[in-house]
Amino acid sequence: MATQTARKPWGKTIVFGILSAALYAGVFAFADTIAAHFAQGSYWAAGPIATVFLFSYVHGEFTGNLWSVLGVEATRKAARKPETATKPATVRPAARRATLNA
């Protein structure tokens, strides 16, 4: 049986690595200006949240692709087999059930 070798995402790794480095460099270079805008309130208050989502996405794509290029892949769990026979639920007689009003 022939095995297929998956192509490694070199291009995506390089692109997202450059984007990630550029985002970090931009935020550190213009930290005072960015903080002043985000402190204005109104719609600018959503800026930190949007920035975190942007960084998370770009950096996550970079690291995911980097792990793939390095050959580290997650293991996949085998599909769970359905149970063939289920036991009927055991029900205690009403007279023997514990009650809160006893």
Side-chain angles (χ1 to χ4, degrees):
M1 184 176 225
T3 59
Q4 290 182 334
T5 57
R7 285 188 50 134
K8 295 186 178 187
W10 284 99
K12 285 183 179 181
T13 304
I14 293 169
V15 168
F16 280 108
I18 291 170
L19 282 173
S20 184
L23 283 172
Y24 280 107
V27 166
F28 285 125
F30 301 105
D32 294 333
T33 306
I34 293 170
H37 281 346
F38 289 169
Q40 290 177 358
S42 183
Y43 291 114
W44 285 103
I49 297 168
T51 304
V52 167
F53 279 126
L54 176 67
F55 271 78
S56 177
Y57 176 74
V58 172
H59 188 73
E61 285 290 322
F62 167 66
T63 55
N65 290 323
L66 180 65
W67 286 120
S68 294
V69 166
L70 294 175
V72 178
E73 295 293 331
T75 58
R76 299 187 190 275
K77 290 185 178 182
R80 197 187 303 186
K81 295 179 182 177
E83 295 180 23
T84 55
T86 59
K87 294 181 181 179
T90 306
V91 178
R92 295 175 56 188
R96 296 190 64 204
R97 284 192 192 138
T99 63
L100 295 175
N101 297 331

